Amino acid sequence: MTLCTTIDSPLGELLLVGEESATAQGGTALASLSVPGQKGGAAVQEGWTENAEAFSVIAAELRAYFEGSRTGFGIEYAPRRGTDFQRRVWQALEDIPYGTTLTYGEIAARIGAPRAAVRSVGTAIGANPLLVVRPCHRVIGAGGALTGYSGGLDRKQKLLDLETRHRTA
């Protein structure tokens, strides 16, 4: 059964979508986390069940992250979708330490892809259904520029600023 809820955050209202799971803490595995206006973001579908309680553990982890007391997540994800290449890129995102950034080229190198694959890496990152918890906001352009965040560059900057502030606090 597909469950959903919304929670307030410094990025605006987050839409959480999940699946019931016997193994996930709180009973819900996260399938999608999106923000209003997100390119390719989830939208509530007919047949989904609104259930805020089902996301209580996930919401608590997100609140702690935004407050600066959590630097990682223990959230179970719903079974992975995406191509093998996308899953490799998404795994590389999860390995980027809190408060640090990598370039698209560095992600390509980490997954064993040629440097010429940076555009493909960017496309895979743009297809990430789990903003914030799978930290695609930590990937920047080769010259250090903020580029390509499906949730908007203003939100990417907010997340990077939050992590920098709490990492050095």
Side-chain angles (χ1 to χ4, degrees), residues 33-51:
L33 187 160
S34 51
V35 297
Q38 176 184 331
K39 180 182 175 187
V44 176
Q45 304 290 312
E46 187 175 325
W48 289 4
T49 302
E50 162 65 33
N51 185 340

Side-chain angles (χ1 to χ4, degrees), residues 75-108:
I75 296 168
E76 180 181 311
Y77 302 146
R80 291 187 174 190
R81 58 182 194 234
T83 67
D84 177 63
F85 183 81
Q86 287 173 326
R87 289 190 302 272
R88 289 181 13 230
V89 169
W90 296 343
Q91 182 58 57
L93 296 177
E94 292 181 37
D95 295 337
I96 303 172
Y98 179 91
T100 63
T101 58
L102 292 177
T103 66
Y104 293 91
E106 289 170 321
I107 295 293

Side-chain angles (χ1 to χ4, degrees), residues 17-157:
V17 180
E19 301 291 334
E20 291 180 323
S21 170
T23 57
Q25 191 177 24
T28 303
L30 190 63
S32 174
L33 187 160
S34 51
V35 297
Q38 176 184 331
K39 180 182 175 187
V44 176
Q45 304 290 312
E46 187 175 325
W48 289 4
T49 302
E50 162 65 33
N51 185 340
E53 183 57 32
F55 292 92
S56 61
V57 171
I58 295 168
E61 287 196 28
L62 285 163
R63 277 191 299 276
Y65 168 81
F66 288 121
E67 291 167 358
S69 61
R70 177 177 272 284
T71 61
F73 296 94
I75 296 168
E76 180 181 311
Y77 302 146
R80 291 187 174 190
R81 58 182 194 234
T83 67
D84 177 63
F85 183 81
Q86 287 173 326
R87 289 190 302 272
R88 289 181 13 230
V89 169
W90 296 343
Q91 182 58 57
L93 296 177
E94 292 181 37
D95 295 337
I96 303 172
Y98 179 91
T100 63
T101 58
L102 292 177
T103 66
Y104 293 91
E106 289 170 321
I107 295 293
R110 285 185 176 208
I111 66 166
R115 188 126 186 107
V118 294
R119 288 188 190 270
S120 297
V121 166
T123 300
I125 290 171
N128 172 21
L130 298 167
L131 294 189
V132 182
V133 297
R134 185 182 289 143
C136 52
H137 60 275
R138 296 180 189 153
V139 182
I140 59 173
L146 293 186
T147 59
Y149 189 65
S150 63
L153 293 181
D154 58 327
R155 290 183 177 116
K156 183 173 190 165
Q157 186 65 61

